[in-house]
Amino acid sequence: RLYSLAQPPWPHQRPSPSASKEVWKKGGRMFSILLAVHLALLACTLVSSGAFEKIAVHDYDVFFLLTIMMLVVIVWMIFYLVSTSRCPDAILCKDSHAGPVWLRGGLILFAIFSLVMDVFKIGYYSSFYSCLSAIKIIYPIVQAIFVIVQTYFLWVSAKDCIHVHLNVTRCGLMLTLTTNLAVWMSAVTDESVHKAHSNSSTEECNCNSQICQIFKNGYFWLYPFNIEYSLFASAMVYVMWKNVGRFIDHHSHHIHRLKFRLFRRTFFVGIVLGLIILVSGLGVLIVYEVRVNSSNESSKKKEALTMYYIFNIVCLGLMSLVCIGGSVIYRFDKRDMDRHKNPTRTLDVALLMGAALGQYAISYYSIVAIVASTARDAISALNLIYALLMIAQHTFQNVFIIEGLHRQPPKEDRKRDPHQKDPYGLTFVNVNAVSLRVPDSGSTLAPSTVPGIEAIHPSELVQSLAGPKKMNWRRKFLREISMFLLLSNIILWIMPAFGARPQFDNDKELNFYGDSMWPAIVDICLPFGIFYRMHAVASLLEVYIMS
Amino acid sequence: RLYSLAQPPWPHQRPSPSASKEVWKKGGRMFSILLAVHLALLACTLVSSGAFEKIAVHDYDVFFLLTIMMLVVIVWMIFYLVSTSRCPDAILCKDSHAGPVWLRGGLILFAIFSLVMDVFKIGYYSSFYSCLSAIKIIYPIVQAIFVIVQTYFLWVSAKDCIHVHLNVTRCGLMLTLTTNLAVWMSAVTDESVHKAHSNSSTEECNCNSQICQIFKNGYFWLYPFNIEYSLFASAMVYVMWKNVGRFIDHHSHHIHRLKFRLFRRTFFVGIVLGLIILVSGLGVLIVYEVRVNSSNESSKKKEALTMYYIFNIVCLGLMSLVCIGGSVIYRFDKRDMDRHKNPTRTLDVALLMGAALGQYAISYYSIVAIVASTARDAISALNLIYALLMIAQHTFQNVFIIEGLHRQPPKEDRKRDPHQKDPYGLTFVNVNAVSLRVPDSGSTLAPSTVPGIEAIHPSELVQSLAGPKKMNWRRKFLREISMFLLLSNIILWIMPAFGARPQFDNDKELNFYGDSMWPAIVDICLPFGIFYRMHAVASLLEVYIMS
């Protein structure tokens, strides 16, 4: 035993001489962050100025900047792919948490839709290319190439922990991240402007032909996918940036290789309930869109709004209850918390908490408007309940997802293992304990805590032997819950992403805050709300697989 | 040697059984963050709505919410002080980085000014208390009590790492943080509204008497101090929150006990140059304010603006050059980077980078406006140079400060120590190496790296013996630089904090972006810019002491 401590066989010891190559990681990161901040601010300035007609900055100025940024990023990505394939020492280890297959699958799905959108855009602008600046056609062409190259790049190298050209790679990744965020900002602004001016056609060259109208409507319907593509790519690029120059302890990883088995021992209750919600939600959305957009009668509009609110209240209420149930089940779950370092998960949690702020802000402004205004009617009451439930549901769902993501995956393999009590099991726990870091205390658990672990461990084993039936029940429930929440989040993503805007159709807040403040609040915050739903779906899928 | 590894005498081993009391630190933090997010959003909604006259939310609604929050925080602080003084196990260790004496000193200074402001406010409102709601007088009274209690609380317990009532303490601290931020938001909004409407007096009860006018002007002049007080308190409370339940390895600390010796071996060049800038800046500010506010002649206004811009360009240019010089000196500095965990420093860096965004945004919007508009004159050219230099100076200064904060303090004591090469010195380095964590690689340097450190160490000793003269030169330069930057940042803080607004006096951007967008940009971003200067002063003082 003493021998093994004096010469420990830990694999993370190996790279430590080369780890000292980089004297100060923070300094290396700082430069790339500065680059990203400046580029992002410049893009943000141009995009926000370009959105206003009165301001002498036009959308082609924005497209020009974005085109240049995308071209630079394409060149850098090709350089990265070539240089890493040539140098065998470039990638010493891979982060198995990064770029899970469903994230990469989603990326490819959104990439395909983005490409279709670009084709539509090219078709739309080429219908009257004679009276437009050339950049409006060049931009979608460059964007299509960018989407193809970036999707290939992320598919191949999302898990890389690169160890050559550290600073160039950091800057390149930050440039990629900024470009994606700028494209996202531009798409969100473009969509909001289009929604606001959908009736007035002030363009010099009108789009009158049938095919041109199809192209135009087509590319605006496909915008949500492009927006999600940019955000997915940004998240993956950020994780790659965090992994630059990182060495990974391979021990904590081989437990996580879980397979995605969709219908393993479920009661189908979650899926069936979720599908009911999904289908009825689609129906509500179609009826709502048709009624609100076609008729100017206020009674029909009110009916549509009432229907929309009631559906959402039922859906959000159910989801909140289910989330509370899930959190209660976690209280009785004896699985250990997973404290290993995991940049993907940290990012997931930060994005969930951060993106929820968008919907929180809209809801709080709604609540203040409804409470402070004197006129009260049924729609206002429904709107108030809707806003309150929105806040509650986001909060409970975040708590549920974050708790789920931090659980250790189930130890099924160990339970089925007949040699459970052999020394191997103890060594395994042992090594894990050594590499376990108590976060924030600035100290490490030293090998001398091994006796303590040994003392705790047998009781845990006994427990997991005594109650396998109960564990299964709990896990089944958790799986039902996450599947139901997943499907519900999909419909709550579809509704705002495809144009339902009760925030504007209901004129309460618009009258209270005025024509400039309320649209500003909604247009800034709603994209985060939509992204939240998308991201919650991805995280719930992970919770489903882990439970 | 083997014996010492098997039973290591590390002091951070001691608390590890009680560390396991808290199963999942992130979960404990999550709840308090959720509480803070919701309260902050509610306050933000009310404050931003209350700022607009058209919206039916009034400033007394905001004051009502703030008064309740402050009362709750006062009660909690008293509870905290009583419970920690009664329970001897509550505070097992203190974070020596947290609440340095100049931060606490600054807090007390700003607290005194805030109290004076509250007295003026009470005097102002009591001049016509008959026609105002009572909350307008209650609010400053409660705020005065809050300032006194909070300043005492922070003075006494800023360094605490508390280990009882973990969740209650986290929630209490987050509540305190949110209250401070809400007070800050309210003060910033109030000041902006006052500046915007300084000419129109739409209040029902006019303030006509001499003494009432004095009170009114007095309290608006004292607002910047109250704003800084809230931000200082927020920063200290945040560090306390990070330290809840933390165990500290005491080894890395006793080196940091450096004394503040102001005039130790300096050439006075930095101080003299800085004082010249400070005094001439005060002169420029007074002339500028008088000319811009008193006369409506555009020629006099232009003269004042030209003077203001030229002074700022000279000042920013000098500062940028000096920062670049400082960064170059750091390139040749052989001191090690300090990689120890230090929440105060992490917060400092994040605040510097984050607060700089405010000034960056204003500058980028200015640049776009000047470049895109066709009319070009001397003022525009000066404004463009000013905006560009502002960006450059913030960037270079951030790089300089962050690099300075991450250096190990000079090893003067060791150099003067005649027994430098005795085993004690090696043991010391040894222990430090054991507790040193390579950040982000998820692994810890284990005791087996000790031979490596021993191999590196003697050469470093030889180096520090060989070049003590050179080291002193470098350090003296760094001290000059940080003192000059410190004084320059003070004048660049004073100018916007006491009402210089070239962003509005120069009508370029106002015409370009319109009357609603440009004031919104400046009013949101400028407070961060002002805070940046204040915070840079504090950080530069630390760099001065460390170098």
Side-chain angles (χ1 to χ4, degrees):
Chain A
R1 174 142 228 106
L2 275 176
Y3 173 78
S4 81
L5 280 172
Q7 296 189 347
W10 304 332
H12 58 257
Q13 277 297 306
R14 189 179 43 76
S16 92
S18 53
S20 62
K21 216 169 45 174
E22 182 156 42
V23 184
W24 185 42
K25 200 173 207 172
K26 259 191 199 173
R29 285 181 172 177
M30 197 171 61
F31 185 69
S32 62
I33 291 175
L34 277 174
L35 178 80
V37 161
H38 284 283
L39 262 177
L41 275 172
L42 183 61
C44 174
T45 312
L46 283 180
V47 168
S48 63
S49 307
F52 293 94
E53 276 183 28
K54 283 174 292 181
I55 297 174
V57 175
H58 304 289
D59 49 359
Y60 46 79
D61 296 326
V62 180
F63 290 153
F64 188 70
L65 177 75
L66 291 181
T67 307
I68 292 174
M69 285 169 78
M70 286 194 287
L71 287 173
V72 173
V73 170
I74 290 169
V75 170
W76 174 77
M77 279 177 186
I78 293 168
F79 163 77
Y80 176 93
L81 290 171
V82 171
S83 70
T84 51
S85 68
R86 276 193 188 167
C87 175
D89 287 347
I91 297 149
L92 292 173
C93 49
K94 298 216 167 201
D95 179 3
S96 63
H97 296 295
V101 74
W102 59 88
L103 197 59
R104 287 189 287 166
L107 189 81
I108 286 191
L109 185 78
F110 290 131
I112 291 167
F113 281 113
S114 297
L115 287 177
V116 176
M117 187 200 76
D118 283 325
V119 170
F120 277 22
K121 237 178 176 172
I122 296 166
Y124 169 64
Y125 283 122
S126 56
S127 329
F128 41 90
Y129 71 98
S130 51
C131 61
L132 274 176
S133 60
I135 193 79
K136 288 216 172 184
I137 300 176
I138 296 173
Y139 176 69
I141 295 172
V142 173
Q143 199 185 18
I145 302 170
F146 173 72
V147 166
I148 293 169
V149 174
Q150 180 171 261
T151 310
Y152 175 73
F153 167 77
L154 287 176
W155 182 266
V156 169
S157 43
K159 292 175 187 297
D160 290 3
C161 300
I162 197 168
H163 289 101
V164 290
H165 308 303
L166 291 181
N167 286 328
V168 175
T169 309
R170 284 209 184 97
C171 288
L173 286 171
M174 268 291 158
L175 191 64
T176 315
L177 177 65
T178 317
T179 308
N180 277 301
L181 288 180
V183 169
W184 170 73
M185 274 193 286
S186 153
V188 166
T189 316
D190 212 10
E191 209 196 0
S192 309
V193 171
H194 174 75
K195 287 248 165 69
H197 301 279
S198 55
N199 298 320
S200 65
S201 60
T202 50
E203 287 174 38
E204 309 100 66
C205 323
N206 266 314
C207 173
N208 293 322
S209 67
Q210 190 70 35
I211 186 133
C212 166
Q213 278 294 339
I214 291 172
F215 278 142
K216 191 180 178 186
N217 290 329
Y219 95 71
F220 273 107
W221 270 87
L222 289 169
Y223 252 136
F225 295 102
N226 185 234
I227 289 170
E228 294 306 327
Y229 174 79
S230 302
L231 290 174
F232 265 56
S234 303
M236 289 172 81
V237 167
Y238 174 78
V239 171
M240 278 186 75
W241 178 80
K242 284 289 270 188
N243 280 334
V244 170
R246 187 181 164 205
F247 291 103
I248 290 172
D249 173 12
H250 285 278
H251 273 290
S252 54
H253 287 257
H254 58 96
I255 337 169
H256 287 281
R257 299 209 173 278
L258 293 164
K259 277 172 201 161
F260 179 62
R261 281 166 293 175
L262 186 63
F263 296 117
R264 43 172 194 189
R265 283 169 290 151
T266 56
F267 302 125
F268 299 100
V269 182
I271 292 173
V272 170
L273 248 174
L275 282 178
I276 292 171
I277 294 259
L278 186 67
V279 171
S280 54
L282 283 176
V284 167
L285 176 66
I286 291 165
V287 173
Y288 174 80
E289 289 270 358
V290 169
R291 288 222 175 170
V292 164
N293 288 331
S294 65
S295 72
N296 287 320
E297 284 174 58
S298 78
S299 68
K300 277 207 171 174
K301 212 169 175 177
K302 272 194 178 172
E303 262 175 39
L305 269 174
T306 311
M307 183 191 66
Y308 184 89
Y309 282 133
I310 287 175
F311 171 76
N312 271 281
I313 288 170
V314 170
C315 182
L316 291 171
L318 267 177
M319 288 166 79
S320 304
L321 287 179
V322 161
C323 286
I324 295 172
S327 300
V328 170
I329 291 176
Y330 275 129
R331 285 281 83 73
F332 296 102
D333 192 350
K334 301 293 180 204
R335 279 187 284 160
D336 275 347
M337 301 313 284
D338 179 8
R339 288 199 202 79
H340 286 97
K341 192 176 175 60
N342 182 345
T344 313
R345 187 176 55 198
T346 310
L347 176 68
D348 274 350
V349 171
L351 286 179
L352 277 177
M353 302 280 272
L357 288 182
Q359 188 58 53
Y360 281 156
I362 294 178
S363 295
Y364 273 112
Y365 276 101
S366 278
I367 291 169
V368 168
I370 297 162
V371 170
S373 45
T374 43
R376 277 149 224 268
D377 52 357
I379 295 270
S380 295
L382 286 173
N383 196 359
L384 183 65
I385 298 170
Y386 170 69
L388 287 170
L389 273 177
M390 209 60 153
I391 293 175
Q393 195 268 331
H394 276 78
T395 308
F396 293 135
Q397 182 167 292
N398 273 350
V399 171
F400 174 76
I401 294 177
I402 292 171
E403 213 160 346
L405 290 179
H406 281 87
R407 295 284 158 162
Q408 298 272 16
K411 290 156 192 163
E412 279 177 298
D413 307 337
R414 200 189 293 172
K415 232 179 280 165
R416 282 176 195 159
D417 189 4
H419 309 290
Q420 194 172 8
K421 284 173 182 171
D422 74 355
Y424 172 74
L426 284 176
T427 325
F428 176 79
V429 172
N430 194 339
V431 171
N432 241 352
V434 167
S435 70
L436 181 144
R437 306 194 308 174
V438 178
D440 298 330
S441 67
S443 65
T444 55
L445 284 183
S448 68
T449 53
V450 168
I453 297 281
E454 276 173 14
I456 293 164
H457 192 63
S459 69
E460 193 191 316
L461 283 183
V462 169
Q463 199 173 41
S464 67
L465 276 170
K469 276 277 159 65
K470 263 199 175 175
M471 284 285 274
N472 274 343
W473 269 87
R474 263 186 230 125
R475 266 197 244 143
K476 271 183 191 170
F477 264 119
L478 287 177
R479 247 178 264 142
E480 300 289 335
I481 287 171
S482 40
M483 189 44 77
F484 170 71
L485 287 175
L486 194 153
L487 291 168
S488 310
N489 273 291
I490 289 178
I491 184 64
L492 291 183
W493 168 63
I494 289 175
M495 282 184 156
F498 290 94
R501 290 282 182 281
Q503 294 92 350
F504 295 122
D505 299 326
N506 166 19
D507 48 7
K508 194 86 176 178
E509 294 101 338
L510 211 59
N511 291 339
F512 189 80
Y513 290 112
D515 274 347
S516 60
M517 191 170 159
W518 183 240
I521 295 168
V522 174
D523 284 342
I524 292 172
C525 295
L526 199 62
F528 291 98
I530 294 172
F531 172 69
Y532 174 83
R533 292 296 174 192
M534 204 58 228
H535 190 70
V537 168
S539 303
L540 281 165
L541 194 60
E542 202 158 346
V543 172
Y544 175 82
I545 292 168
M546 298 240 301
S547 60
Chain B
R1 175 143 226 106
L2 276 177
Y3 176 76
S4 81
L5 281 173
Q7 297 189 347
W10 304 331
H12 57 257
Q13 277 296 305
R14 189 178 42 79
S16 94
S18 53
S20 61
K21 216 169 47 175
E22 182 154 42
V23 182
W24 185 43
K25 200 174 207 170
K26 261 191 197 173
R29 285 182 172 177
M30 197 171 63
F31 185 70
S32 62
I33 291 176
L34 277 174
L35 178 78
V37 161
H38 284 281
L39 262 177
L41 276 172
L42 184 62
C44 175
T45 312
L46 283 181
V47 168
S48 63
S49 307
F52 293 95
E53 276 182 30
K54 283 175 291 181
I55 298 173
V57 175
H58 304 288
D59 49 358
Y60 45 81
D61 295 326
V62 180
F63 290 153
F64 188 69
L65 177 75
L66 291 180
T67 307
I68 291 174
M69 285 169 77
M70 286 194 288
L71 286 174
V72 173
V73 170
I74 290 169
V75 169
W76 174 77
M77 279 176 186
I78 293 168
F79 163 77
Y80 176 93
L81 289 171
V82 170
S83 69
T84 51
S85 67
R86 276 195 190 166
C87 174
D89 287 347
I91 297 149
L92 291 173
C93 49
K94 298 216 166 200
D95 178 4
S96 63
H97 297 295
V101 74
W102 58 86
L103 198 60
R104 287 189 287 166
L107 189 80
I108 286 191
L109 186 78
F110 290 131
I112 291 167
F113 281 113
S114 296
L115 287 177
V116 176
M117 188 201 78
D118 283 324
V119 170
F120 277 23
K121 239 178 176 172
I122 296 167
Y124 169 64
Y125 283 121
S126 56
S127 327
F128 41 92
Y129 71 98
S130 52
C131 62
L132 277 174
S133 60
I135 193 79
K136 288 217 171 184
I137 299 176
I138 295 172
Y139 175 70
I141 296 172
V142 173
Q143 198 185 18
I145 302 170
F146 173 72
V147 166
I148 294 169
V149 174
Q150 180 171 261
T151 310
Y152 176 74
F153 167 76
L154 288 175
W155 182 267
V156 169
S157 43
K159 293 175 187 296
D160 291 2
C161 300
I162 196 168
H163 289 100
V164 290
H165 308 305
L166 292 180
N167 287 328
V168 175
T169 309
R170 284 207 185 100
C171 288
L173 286 170
M174 269 291 158
L175 191 63
T176 315
L177 177 64
T178 317
T179 308
N180 277 300
L181 288 180
V183 169
W184 171 73
M185 274 194 285
S186 152
V188 166
T189 316
D190 212 11
E191 208 195 1
S192 310
V193 171
H194 173 76
K195 287 247 166 68
H197 301 279
S198 53
N199 298 320
S200 64
S201 60
T202 49
E203 288 172 38
E204 309 99 66
C205 323
N206 266 314
C207 171
N208 294 320
S209 68
Q210 189 70 35
I211 186 133
C212 165
Q213 278 294 337
I214 291 172
F215 278 142
K216 190 182 179 184
N217 290 329
Y219 96 71
F220 273 108
W221 270 87
L222 289 170
Y223 252 135
F225 295 101
N226 184 233
I227 289 170
E228 294 305 328
Y229 174 79
S230 302
L231 290 173
F232 266 56
S234 303
M236 290 172 81
V237 168
Y238 174 77
V239 171
M240 279 185 73
W241 178 79
K242 283 289 269 188
N243 281 334
V244 170
R246 186 181 164 204
F247 289 103
I248 291 172
D249 173 13
H250 285 279
H251 274 290
S252 55
H253 286 257
H254 57 98
I255 338 169
H256 287 280
R257 299 209 174 278
L258 293 164
K259 277 173 203 162
F260 179 63
R261 280 165 293 175
L262 187 63
F263 297 117
R264 43 170 195 191
R265 283 168 292 150
T266 57
F267 302 125
F268 298 100
V269 181
I271 292 172
V272 171
L273 249 173
L275 281 178
I276 291 171
I277 294 257
L278 186 67
V279 171
S280 53
L282 282 178
V284 166
L285 177 67
I286 292 165
V287 174
Y288 175 81
E289 288 271 357
V290 170
R291 288 219 175 171
V292 164
N293 288 332
S294 64
S295 74
N296 288 321
E297 286 175 56
S298 78
S299 69
K300 276 206 171 172
K301 211 170 175 177
K302 272 195 177 172
E303 262 174 39
L305 269 173
T306 312
M307 183 190 66
Y308 184 88
Y309 281 134
I310 288 175
F311 171 76
N312 270 282
I313 288 170
V314 170
C315 181
L316 291 171
L318 268 177
M319 288 166 79
S320 304
L321 287 178
V322 161
C323 285
I324 295 172
S327 299
V328 170
I329 291 176
Y330 275 129
R331 286 280 82 74
F332 297 102
D333 193 349
K334 302 292 180 204
R335 278 187 285 161
D336 275 349
M337 301 314 285
D338 179 8
R339 288 199 202 78
H340 285 97
K341 188 173 180 61
N342 181 344
T344 314
R345 186 175 58 198
T346 310
L347 177 67
D348 275 350
V349 171
L351 285 180
L352 277 176
M353 302 280 273
L357 288 181
Q359 188 58 52
Y360 282 155
I362 294 177
S363 295
Y364 272 110
Y365 276 102
S366 278
I367 292 169
V368 167
I370 297 163
V371 170
S373 43
T374 44
R376 275 151 226 268
D377 52 358
I379 295 270
S380 295
L382 285 174
N383 195 359
L384 183 64
I385 299 170
Y386 170 70
L388 287 170
L389 274 177
M390 210 60 154
I391 293 175
Q393 195 268 330
H394 276 78
T395 307
F396 294 135
Q397 182 166 293
N398 273 351
V399 171
F400 174 76
I401 294 176
I402 292 170
E403 212 159 346
L405 289 180
H406 280 87
R407 296 283 157 163
Q408 298 273 15
K411 291 158 193 162
E412 279 178 297
D413 307 336
R414 200 190 294 172
K415 231 179 281 166
R416 281 177 197 161
D417 187 5
H419 309 289
Q420 194 171 8
K421 284 172 181 171
D422 73 356
Y424 172 73
L426 284 176
T427 325
F428 176 80
V429 171
N430 194 339
V431 171
N432 242 352
V434 167
S435 71
L436 182 144
R437 306 194 310 175
V438 179
D440 296 331
S441 66
S443 64
T444 55
L445 286 181
S448 66
T449 53
V450 168
I453 297 279
E454 275 172 14
I456 294 163
H457 192 64
S459 69
E460 193 192 313
L461 283 182
V462 168
Q463 200 174 43
S464 67
L465 276 169
K469 276 278 159 65
K470 264 199 174 174
M471 283 285 273
N472 274 343
W473 269 86
R474 262 187 232 124
R475 265 197 246 144
K476 271 183 190 170
F477 265 119
L478 287 178
R479 246 177 266 143
E480 300 288 335
I481 286 170
S482 40
M483 190 43 79
F484 169 71
L485 287 176
L486 194 153
L487 291 168
S488 310
N489 273 292
I490 288 178
I491 184 65
L492 291 183
W493 169 64
I494 289 175
M495 281 182 155
F498 290 95
R501 291 281 183 282
Q503 295 91 350
F504 294 122
D505 299 326
N506 167 20
D507 48 7
K508 194 85 176 181
E509 293 100 339
L510 210 59
N511 291 339
F512 189 81
Y513 290 111
D515 275 346
S516 61
M517 190 170 160
W518 182 241
I521 295 168
V522 173
D523 285 342
I524 292 171
C525 295
L526 199 62
F528 291 99
I530 294 172
F531 172 70
Y532 173 83
R533 292 296 173 192
M534 204 57 229
H535 190 69
V537 168
S539 302
L540 282 165
L541 193 62
E542 201 158 346
V543 172
Y544 176 82
I545 292 168
M546 298 241 301
S547 61

